[in-house]
Coordinates of all heavy atoms in Angstrom, one line a residue:
M1 N 232.5 -8.8 75.0 CA 232.8 -7.3 74.9 C 234.2 -7.1 74.3 O 235.2 -7.8 74.7 CB 232.8 -6.7 76.3 CG 233.2 -5.2 76.3 SD 232.9 -4.6 78.0 CE 234.4 -5.4 78.8
Q2 N 234.3 -6.2 73.4 CA 235.6 -5.9 72.7 C 236.5 -5.3 73.8 O 236.1 -4.4 74.4 CB 235.6 -5.1 71.5 CG 236.8 -4.9 70.8 CD 236.6 -4.1 69.5 OE1 235.6 -3.5 69.4 NE2 237.7 -4.1 68.7
N3 N 237.8 -5.6 73.9 CA 238.6 -5.1 74.8 C 240.1 -5.0 74.2 O 240.6 -5.9 73.7 CB 238.7 -5.9 76.1 CG 239.6 -5.4 77.1 OD1 240.1 -4.2 77.1 ND2 240.2 -6.2 77.9
H4 N 240.6 -3.8 74.3 CA 242.0 -3.7 73.7 C 243.0 -3.8 74.8 O 244.3 -3.5 74.5 CB 242.0 -2.4 73.0 CG 241.1 -2.2 71.8 ND1 241.2 -2.9 70.7 CD2 239.9 -1.6 71.7 CE1 240.2 -2.7 70.0 NE2 239.5 -1.8 70.5
G5 N 242.7 -4.1 76.0 CA 243.7 -4.2 77.0 C 243.0 -4.4 78.4 O 241.8 -4.7 78.4
G6 N 243.9 -4.4 79.5 CA 243.3 -4.6 80.8 C 242.7 -3.5 81.4 O 242.6 -2.4 80.7
A7 N 242.5 -3.5 82.6 CA 241.9 -2.4 83.4 C 242.7 -1.2 83.2 O 244.0 -1.3 83.5 CB 241.7 -2.8 84.8
G8 N 242.2 -0.1 83.0 CA 242.9 1.1 82.9 C 244.1 1.2 81.9 O 245.0 1.8 82.0
Y9 N 243.9 0.5 80.7 CA 245.0 0.3 79.8 C 245.5 1.5 79.2 O 246.7 1.5 78.6 CB 244.6 -0.7 78.8 CG 243.5 -0.3 77.8 CD1 243.8 0.2 76.5 CD2 242.1 -0.3 78.2 CE1 242.7 0.6 75.6 CE2 241.1 0.0 77.3 CZ 241.4 0.4 76.1 OH 240.4 0.9 75.2
Q10 N 244.8 2.6 79.2 CA 245.2 3.8 78.6 C 245.7 4.8 79.7 O 246.2 6.0 79.3 CB 244.2 4.5 77.7 CG 243.8 3.6 76.5 CD 243.0 4.3 75.5 OE1 243.5 4.5 74.4 NE2 241.8 4.6 75.9
V11 N 245.6 4.6 81.0 CA 245.9 5.5 82.0 C 247.4 5.9 81.9 O 247.7 7.1 82.1 CB 245.7 4.9 83.4 CG1 246.2 5.7 84.5 CG2 244.1 4.7 83.5
P12 N 248.3 5.0 81.6 CA 249.8 5.5 81.5 C 250.0 6.4 80.5 O 250.9 7.4 80.7 CB 250.5 4.1 81.1 CG 249.7 3.1 81.6 CD 248.3 3.5 81.5
F13 N 249.2 6.7 79.4 CA 249.3 7.7 78.4 C 248.9 9.0 79.0 O 249.5 10.0 78.9 CB 248.5 7.4 77.2 CG 248.8 6.1 76.5 CD1 247.9 5.0 76.2 CD2 250.2 5.9 76.1 CE1 248.2 3.9 75.7 CE2 250.5 4.7 75.3 CZ 249.5 3.7 75.2
A14 N 247.7 8.9 79.7 CA 247.3 10.2 80.4 C 248.3 10.7 81.4 O 248.5 11.8 81.5 CB 246.0 9.9 81.1
E15 N 248.9 9.7 82.2 CA 249.8 10.1 83.2 C 251.2 10.8 82.5 O 251.7 11.7 82.9 CB 250.3 8.9 84.0 CG 251.3 9.2 85.1 CD 251.5 8.0 86.0 OE1 251.3 6.8 85.6 OE2 251.9 8.2 87.0
K16 N 251.6 10.1 81.5 CA 252.8 10.5 80.8 C 252.6 11.9 80.3 O 253.5 12.8 80.3 CB 253.3 9.6 79.7 CG 254.6 9.8 79.2 CD 255.2 8.6 78.5 CE 256.6 8.8 78.0 NZ 257.3 7.7 77.5
I17 N 251.5 12.1 79.5 CA 251.2 13.5 78.9 C 251.1 14.5 80.1 O 251.5 15.7 80.0 CB 250.0 13.4 78.0 CG1 250.3 12.5 76.8 CG2 249.5 14.8 77.6 CD1 249.1 12.1 75.9
R18 N 250.4 14.2 81.2 CA 250.1 15.1 82.2 C 251.4 15.6 82.8 O 251.5 16.8 83.0 CB 249.3 14.4 83.3 CG 248.9 15.3 84.4 CD 248.0 14.6 85.4 NE 247.3 15.6 86.3 CZ 247.7 15.7 87.5 NH1 248.6 15.0 88.1 NH2 247.0 16.6 88.3
H19 N 252.3 14.8 83.0 CA 253.5 15.1 83.6 C 254.6 15.7 82.5 O 255.2 16.8 82.8 CB 254.2 14.1 84.4 CG 253.3 13.6 85.6 ND1 253.0 14.5 86.6 CD2 252.7 12.5 85.9 CE1 252.2 13.8 87.4 NE2 252.0 12.6 87.0
G20 N 254.7 15.0 81.4 CA 255.5 15.5 80.4 C 255.3 16.8 79.8 O 256.1 17.7 79.5
A21 N 253.9 17.1 79.6 CA 253.6 18.3 78.9 C 253.0 19.3 79.9 O 252.6 20.4 79.5 CB 252.5 18.0 77.8
D22 N 252.9 18.9 81.1 CA 252.4 19.8 82.2 C 251.0 20.4 81.9 O 250.8 21.5 81.9 CB 253.4 20.9 82.5 CG 253.0 21.7 83.8 OD1 252.4 21.0 84.6 OD2 253.3 22.8 83.9
M23 N 250.1 19.4 81.5 CA 248.8 19.9 81.1 C 247.8 18.8 81.7 O 248.1 17.8 82.0 CB 248.6 20.0 79.6 CG 248.8 18.6 78.9 SD 248.7 18.8 77.0 CE 247.0 19.2 76.8
A24 N 246.6 19.4 81.8 CA 245.4 18.5 82.4 C 245.2 17.4 81.4 O 245.1 17.7 80.2 CB 244.3 19.3 82.8
T25 N 245.0 16.2 81.9 CA 244.6 15.1 81.1 C 243.4 14.4 81.7 O 243.1 14.5 83.0 CB 245.6 14.1 80.9 OG1 246.0 13.5 82.1 CG2 246.8 14.6 80.3
A26 N 242.6 13.7 80.9 CA 241.5 12.8 81.3 C 242.1 11.4 81.0 O 242.7 11.1 79.9 CB 240.3 13.1 80.5
A27 N 241.7 10.4 81.7 CA 242.0 9.0 81.5 C 240.7 8.2 81.1 O 239.6 8.4 81.8 CB 242.6 8.3 82.7
V28 N 240.8 7.4 80.1 CA 239.7 6.6 79.7 C 240.1 5.3 79.3 O 241.3 5.2 78.9 CB 238.9 7.3 78.5 CG1 239.7 7.3 77.2 CG2 237.5 6.7 78.2
G29 N 239.2 4.3 79.4 CA 239.6 2.9 78.8 C 239.5 1.9 80.0 O 240.5 1.8 80.7
F30 N 238.5 1.2 79.9 CA 238.3 0.1 80.8 C 238.5 0.6 82.4 O 239.2 -0.1 83.1 CB 239.2 -1.1 80.6 CG 238.5 -2.4 80.7 CD1 238.7 -3.5 79.8 CD2 237.7 -2.7 81.8 CE1 238.1 -4.7 79.9 CE2 237.0 -3.9 81.9 CZ 237.2 -4.9 81.0
I31 N 237.9 1.7 82.7 CA 237.8 2.1 84.1 C 236.4 1.8 84.5 O 235.4 2.3 84.0 CB 238.1 3.6 84.2 CG1 239.6 3.9 83.8 CG2 237.9 4.1 85.6 CD1 239.8 5.4 83.5
T32 N 236.3 0.9 85.5 CA 235.0 0.3 85.8 C 234.7 0.4 87.3 O 233.5 0.2 87.7 CB 234.7 -1.1 85.2 OG1 235.8 -1.9 85.9 CG2 234.9 -1.2 83.7
D33 N 235.7 0.4 88.1 CA 235.6 0.3 89.5 C 235.9 1.6 90.2 O 236.8 2.3 89.9 CB 236.7 -0.8 90.0 CG 236.7 -1.0 91.4 OD1 235.8 -1.7 91.9 OD2 237.6 -0.4 92.1
P34 N 235.0 1.9 91.2 CA 235.1 3.2 91.9 C 236.4 3.4 92.6 O 237.1 4.5 92.4 CB 234.1 3.1 93.1 CG 233.0 2.2 92.4 CD 233.8 1.2 91.7
K35 N 237.0 2.4 93.2 CA 238.3 2.5 93.8 C 239.4 2.8 92.7 O 240.3 3.6 93.0 CB 238.6 1.3 94.6 CG 239.9 1.3 95.4 CD 239.9 2.1 96.6 CE 241.1 1.8 97.6 NZ 242.3 2.2 97.0
Q36 N 239.3 2.0 91.7 CA 240.3 2.2 90.6 C 240.3 3.6 90.2 O 241.3 4.3 90.0 CB 239.9 1.2 89.4 CG 240.5 1.5 88.1 CD 239.9 0.8 86.9 OE1 238.7 0.4 87.1 NE2 240.7 0.7 85.9
A37 N 239.0 4.2 89.9 CA 238.9 5.6 89.4 C 239.5 6.5 90.5 O 240.1 7.5 90.1 CB 237.5 5.9 89.1
D38 N 239.1 6.4 91.7 CA 239.6 7.2 92.8 C 241.2 7.1 92.9 O 241.7 8.2 93.1 CB 239.0 6.7 94.1 CG 239.1 7.7 95.3 OD1 238.8 8.9 95.0 OD2 239.5 7.4 96.3
D39 N 241.7 6.0 92.7 CA 243.1 5.9 92.8 C 243.9 6.6 91.7 O 244.9 7.2 91.9 CB 243.6 4.3 92.8 CG 243.4 3.6 94.1 OD1 243.1 4.3 95.1 OD2 243.4 2.5 94.1
I40 N 243.3 6.6 90.5 CA 243.9 7.3 89.4 C 244.0 8.8 89.7 O 245.1 9.4 89.5 CB 243.0 7.1 88.1 CG1 243.1 5.6 87.7 CG2 243.5 8.1 86.9 CD1 242.1 5.2 86.6
I41 N 242.9 9.4 90.3 CA 243.0 10.8 90.6 C 243.9 11.1 91.8 O 244.8 12.0 91.7 CB 241.5 11.3 90.9 CG1 240.6 11.1 89.8 CG2 241.5 12.8 91.3 CD1 241.0 11.8 88.4
R42 N 243.8 10.2 92.8 CA 244.6 10.4 94.0 C 246.1 10.3 93.7 O 246.9 11.0 94.4 CB 244.1 9.5 95.1 CG 242.8 9.9 95.8 CD 242.6 9.0 96.9 NE 241.2 9.2 97.4 CZ 240.8 10.3 98.2 NH1 241.7 11.2 98.6 NH2 239.5 10.4 98.5
C43 N 246.5 9.4 92.8 CA 247.9 9.1 92.5 C 248.4 10.2 91.5 O 249.6 10.1 91.1 CB 248.0 7.8 92.1 SG 247.7 6.5 93.3
G44 N 247.6 11.0 91.1 CA 248.0 12.0 90.2 C 248.3 11.6 88.7 O 249.0 12.1 87.9
Q45 N 247.6 10.5 88.3 CA 247.8 10.0 87.0 C 246.9 10.7 86.0 O 247.3 10.7 84.7 CB 247.4 8.4 87.0 CG 248.4 7.6 87.7 CD 248.0 6.2 87.8 OE1 246.9 5.8 88.4 NE2 248.7 5.3 87.1
A46 N 245.8 11.3 86.3 CA 245.0 12.1 85.5 C 244.3 13.1 86.3 O 244.2 13.0 87.6 CB 244.1 11.3 84.7
D47 N 243.6 14.1 85.7 CA 242.9 15.1 86.4 C 241.4 14.7 86.5 O 240.8 15.2 87.3 CB 243.0 16.4 85.6 CG 244.4 17.0 85.6 OD1 244.8 17.6 86.7 OD2 245.2 16.6 84.8
V48 N 241.0 13.9 85.6 CA 239.6 13.4 85.6 C 239.6 12.1 84.9 O 240.4 11.7 84.1 CB 238.7 14.5 84.8 CG1 239.1 14.5 83.3 CG2 237.2 14.1 85.0
V49 N 238.6 11.2 85.3 CA 238.4 9.9 84.7 C 237.1 9.9 83.9 O 236.1 10.6 84.4 CB 238.3 8.8 85.7 CG1 239.7 8.6 86.3 CG2 237.3 9.0 86.8
L50 N 237.1 9.3 82.8 CA 235.9 9.2 81.9 C 235.6 7.8 81.8 O 236.5 6.8 81.7 CB 236.2 9.8 80.6 CG 236.8 11.2 80.5 CD1 237.2 11.6 79.1 CD2 235.8 12.2 81.1
L51 N 234.2 7.5 81.8 CA 233.8 6.1 81.5 C 232.9 6.0 80.4 O 232.1 6.9 80.2 CB 233.0 5.7 82.8 CG 233.8 5.2 84.1 CD1 234.4 6.4 84.8 CD2 232.9 4.4 85.1
G52 N 233.1 5.1 79.5 CA 232.2 4.9 78.4 C 231.4 3.7 78.6 O 230.1 3.9 79.0
R53 N 231.8 2.5 78.3 CA 231.0 1.3 78.3 C 230.3 1.0 79.6 O 229.3 0.5 79.7 CB 231.9 0.1 77.7 CG 232.1 0.3 76.3 CD 233.2 -0.7 75.8 NE 234.4 -0.3 76.5 CZ 235.6 -1.1 76.2 NH1 235.6 -2.1 75.5 NH2 236.8 -0.7 76.8
Q54 N 231.1 1.4 80.8 CA 230.6 1.0 82.1 C 229.3 1.9 82.3 O 228.3 1.4 83.0 CB 231.6 1.4 83.2 CG 231.1 0.9 84.6 CD 230.9 -0.6 84.7 OE1 231.5 -1.4 83.9 NE2 230.2 -1.0 85.6
F55 N 229.1 3.1 81.7 CA 227.9 3.8 81.9 C 226.7 3.2 81.1 O 225.6 3.4 81.4 CB 228.2 5.2 81.4 CG 228.7 6.2 82.5 CD1 229.6 7.1 82.2 CD2 228.2 6.1 83.8 CE1 230.2 7.9 83.2 CE2 228.7 6.9 84.8 CZ 229.7 7.8 84.5
L56 N 227.1 2.6 80.0 CA 226.1 1.9 79.2 C 225.5 0.7 80.1 O 224.3 0.4 80.1 CB 226.6 1.3 77.8 CG 227.1 2.4 76.9 CD1 227.6 1.7 75.6 CD2 225.9 3.3 76.5
R57 N 226.5 0.0 80.8 CA 226.1 -1.2 81.6 C 225.3 -0.8 82.8 O 224.5 -1.4 83.3 CB 227.3 -2.0 81.9 CG 227.9 -2.8 80.8 CD 229.0 -3.7 81.2 NE 230.2 -3.0 81.6 CZ 231.2 -2.8 80.8 NH1 231.2 -3.3 79.5 NH2 232.3 -2.1 81.2
E58 N 225.9 0.4 83.4 CA 225.4 0.7 84.7 C 225.2 2.3 84.9 O 226.1 3.0 85.3 CB 226.4 0.2 85.9 CG 225.8 0.4 87.3 CD 227.0 0.1 88.2 OE1 228.1 -0.4 87.9 OE2 226.6 0.3 89.5
P59 N 224.0 2.8 84.3 CA 223.9 4.3 84.3 C 224.0 5.0 85.7 O 224.3 6.2 85.6 CB 222.5 4.4 83.8 CG 222.2 3.1 83.0 CD 222.9 2.0 83.8
Y60 N 223.8 4.2 86.8 CA 223.8 4.8 88.1 C 225.1 4.7 88.7 O 225.3 4.7 89.9 CB 222.6 4.3 89.0 CG 221.3 5.0 88.7 CD1 220.5 4.4 87.8 CD2 221.0 6.2 89.1 CE1 219.2 4.9 87.5 CE2 219.7 6.8 88.8 CZ 218.9 6.1 88.0 OH 217.7 6.8 87.6
W61 N 226.2 4.4 87.9 CA 227.5 4.2 88.4 C 228.0 5.3 89.3 O 228.5 5.0 90.4 CB 228.5 4.0 87.3 CG 229.9 3.6 87.6 CD1 230.3 2.3 87.9 CD2 231.0 4.3 88.0 NE1 231.6 2.2 88.2 CE2 232.1 3.6 88.4 CE3 231.1 5.7 88.1 CZ2 233.3 4.0 88.7 CZ3 232.4 6.2 88.5 CH2 233.5 5.3 88.8
P62 N 227.8 6.5 89.1 CA 228.2 7.6 89.9 C 227.6 7.4 91.4 O 228.4 7.7 92.3 CB 227.8 8.9 89.3 CG 227.7 8.6 87.8 CD 227.2 7.1 87.8
A63 N 226.3 7.1 91.4 CA 225.6 6.9 92.7 C 226.4 5.7 93.5 O 226.7 5.8 94.7 CB 224.3 6.8 92.6
H64 N 226.5 4.6 92.8 CA 227.2 3.4 93.2 C 228.6 3.7 93.7 O 229.1 3.4 94.8 CB 227.2 2.4 92.2 CG 228.3 1.3 92.3 ND1 228.1 0.3 93.4 CD2 229.4 0.9 91.7 CE1 229.2 -0.5 93.3 NE2 229.9 -0.2 92.3
A65 N 229.4 4.6 93.0 CA 230.7 4.9 93.3 C 230.7 5.8 94.6 O 231.6 5.6 95.4 CB 231.3 5.7 92.2
A66 N 229.8 6.7 94.6 CA 229.7 7.6 95.8 C 229.5 6.8 97.0 O 230.1 7.1 98.1 CB 228.7 8.7 95.6
R67 N 228.6 5.9 97.0 CA 228.3 5.0 98.1 C 229.6 4.2 98.5 O 230.0 4.1 99.7 CB 227.1 4.1 97.9 CG 225.7 4.6 98.2 CD 224.7 3.6 98.2 NE 224.7 2.8 96.9 CZ 224.0 3.2 95.9 NH1 223.2 4.2 95.8 NH2 224.0 2.4 94.8
T68 N 230.1 3.6 97.5 CA 231.3 2.7 97.7 C 232.5 3.5 98.4 O 233.1 2.9 99.2 CB 231.8 2.1 96.4 OG1 230.8 1.3 95.9 CG2 233.1 1.2 96.6
L69 N 232.6 4.8 97.9 CA 233.8 5.6 98.5 C 233.4 6.5 99.8 O 234.1 7.3 100.1 CB 234.2 6.5 97.3 CG 234.8 5.8 96.1 CD1 235.1 6.7 95.0 CD2 236.1 4.9 96.5
G70 N 232.1 6.2 100.2 CA 231.8 6.9 101.4 C 231.4 8.4 101.2 O 231.6 9.2 102.1
Q71 N 231.0 8.7 100.0 CA 230.8 10.0 99.6 C 229.3 10.4 99.3 O 229.0 11.4 98.5 CB 231.6 10.5 98.4 CG 233.1 10.3 98.6 CD 233.7 11.2 99.6 OE1 233.4 12.4 99.6 NE2 234.6 10.8 100.5
K72 N 228.4 9.4 99.6 CA 227.0 9.6 99.2 C 226.4 10.9 99.6 O 225.7 11.5 98.8 CB 226.2 8.5 99.8 CG 224.8 8.4 99.2 CD 224.0 7.3 99.7 CE 222.6 7.2 99.1 NZ 221.8 8.2 99.4
D73 N 226.8 11.6 100.7 CA 226.2 12.8 101.2 C 226.6 13.8 100.3 O 225.9 14.9 100.2 CB 226.7 13.0 102.6 CG 226.3 12.2 103.7 OD1 225.2 11.4 103.3 OD2 226.8 12.1 104.7
K74 N 227.7 13.7 99.5 CA 228.1 14.9 98.6 C 227.4 14.7 97.2 O 227.6 15.7 96.4 CB 229.6 14.8 98.4 CG 230.3 15.1 99.6 CD 231.8 15.2 99.4 CE 232.6 15.5 100.7 NZ 234.0 15.2 100.6
L75 N 226.6 13.7 97.0 CA 226.0 13.5 95.8 C 224.7 14.3 95.7 O 223.8 14.1 96.5 CB 225.6 12.0 95.6 CG 225.3 11.5 94.2 CD1 226.5 11.6 93.3 CD2 224.9 10.0 94.3
T76 N 224.6 15.2 94.7 CA 223.4 16.0 94.5 C 222.6 15.5 93.4 O 223.0 15.4 92.3 CB 223.8 17.4 94.2 OG1 224.8 17.9 95.1 CG2 222.6 18.3 94.3
P77 N 221.3 15.0 93.7 CA 220.5 14.5 92.7 C 219.9 15.6 91.9 O 219.8 16.7 92.3 CB 219.3 13.8 93.6 CG 219.3 14.5 94.9 CD 220.7 15.0 95.1
P78 N 219.4 15.3 90.7 CA 218.7 16.2 89.8 C 217.5 16.6 90.7 O 216.9 15.9 91.3 CB 218.4 15.5 88.6 CG 219.3 14.3 88.6 CD 219.5 13.9 90.0
A79 N 217.2 17.9 90.4 CA 215.9 18.5 91.2 C 214.7 17.6 90.9 O 213.9 17.3 91.9 CB 215.6 19.9 90.8
Q80 N 214.5 17.1 89.8 CA 213.3 16.4 89.5 C 213.2 15.0 90.3 O 212.3 14.4 90.5 CB 213.3 15.9 88.0 CG 213.2 17.2 87.2 CD 214.5 17.7 86.7 OE1 215.4 17.4 87.4 NE2 214.5 18.3 85.6
Y81 N 214.5 14.6 90.9 CA 214.6 13.3 91.6 C 214.4 13.5 93.1 O 214.3 12.5 93.9 CB 215.8 12.7 91.4 CG 216.0 12.0 90.0 CD1 215.4 12.2 88.9 CD2 217.2 11.1 89.8 CE1 215.5 11.6 87.7 CE2 217.4 10.5 88.7 CZ 216.5 10.8 87.6 OH 216.7 10.1 86.4
L82 N 214.3 14.8 93.6 CA 214.5 15.0 95.0 C 213.4 14.3 95.8 O 213.8 13.7 96.9 CB 214.4 16.5 95.4 CG 215.7 17.3 95.0 CD1 215.5 18.8 95.1 CD2 216.8 16.7 96.0
R83 N 212.2 14.1 95.4 CA 211.2 13.5 96.1 C 211.3 12.0 96.3 O 210.8 11.3 97.2 CB 209.7 13.7 95.5 CG 209.3 15.1 95.8 CD 207.9 15.5 95.1 NE 206.9 14.6 95.8 CZ 205.7 14.3 95.1 NH1 205.5 14.8 94.0 NH2 204.8 13.6 95.7
A84 N 212.1 11.4 95.4 CA 212.3 10.0 95.4 C 213.7 9.6 95.8 O 214.1 8.4 95.9 CB 212.2 9.4 93.9
W85 N 214.6 10.5 96.2 CA 216.1 10.2 96.5 C 216.2 9.6 97.7 O 215.6 9.9 98.7 CB 216.8 11.6 96.5 CG 218.3 11.4 96.3 CD1 219.2 11.5 97.3 CD2 219.0 10.9 95.0 NE1 220.5 11.3 96.6 CE2 220.3 10.8 95.4 CE3 218.6 10.5 93.8 CZ2 221.3 10.6 94.5 CZ3 219.5 10.2 92.9 CH2 220.8 10.1 93.3
Ligands
FMN1 C1 229.0 3.3 71.9 C2 230.3 4.1 72.0 C3 230.5 5.2 71.2 C4 231.7 5.9 71.2 N1 231.9 7.1 70.5 C5 233.0 7.7 70.5 C6 233.1 9.0 69.8 O1 232.2 9.4 69.2 N2 234.4 9.5 69.8 C7 235.3 9.1 70.6 O2 236.4 9.7 70.7 N3 235.2 7.9 71.3 C8 234.1 7.2 71.2 N4 234.1 6.1 72.0 C9 235.1 5.6 72.8 C10 235.0 5.9 74.2 O3 235.1 7.3 74.3 C11 236.2 5.3 75.0 O4 237.4 5.8 74.6 C12 236.2 3.8 74.9 O5 234.9 3.2 74.9 C13 237.1 3.2 76.1 O6 236.5 3.6 77.3 P1 235.7 2.6 78.1 O7 236.4 1.4 78.4 O8 235.2 3.4 79.5 O9 234.4 2.3 77.3 C14 232.8 5.4 72.0 C15 232.6 4.2 72.7 C16 231.4 3.5 72.7 C17 231.2 2.3 73.5

């Protein structure tokens, strides 16, 4: 897998712009772990996290993250999935 840096390698840019320009930012770039994503938001480094390649590897990542972070009850499945959820 091509990689231009370590975990969250572009998060400092999102944080710097968020605070320097006082505008909402999204962080992207090697964000793969639910706790890592949660920490970025909780620490105020970005307003939202975006995942690219991790979604290709693990399309159900949001469900996995919700379980890992103890938020499974807040996860709303698509209506078509309700009978199987
Ligand atoms: C298959 C693929 C297609 C992508 N297409 C775009 C694109 O059209 N525009 C864009 O700005 N970034 C695109 N990217 C870059 C991603 O938005 C993201 O910045 C990059 O993959 C790093 O995040 P990640 O480590 O979560 O994948 C693409 C990435 C992948 C893997």
Side-chain angles (χ1 to χ4, degrees):
M1 179 178 71
Q2 187 181 11
N3 175 25
H4 299 289
Y9 65 100
Q10 297 190 110
V11 173
F13 300 124
E15 182 176 17
K16 192 163 186 175
I17 292 168
R18 183 172 194 255
H19 296 298
D22 192 26
M23 63 186 291
T25 63
V28 69
F30 222 138
I31 297 167
T32 58
D33 177 73
K35 181 76 167 61
Q36 171 198 15
D38 194 48
D39 284 347
I40 291 167
I41 300 299
R42 287 188 189 280
C43 293
Q45 292 178 289
D47 297 274
V48 65
V49 292
L50 306 174
L51 284 71
R53 290 166 293 182
Q54 188 62 21
F55 275 139
L56 296 178
R57 290 188 286 266
E58 190 185 356
Y60 284 96
W61 190 90
H64 161 65
R67 273 195 305 274
T68 301
L69 298 171
Q71 302 290 320
K72 187 174 185 295
D73 293 344
K74 294 185 182 164
L75 198 64
T76 309
Q80 296 90 335
Y81 285 17
L82 281 174
R83 288 179 62 200
W85 200 249

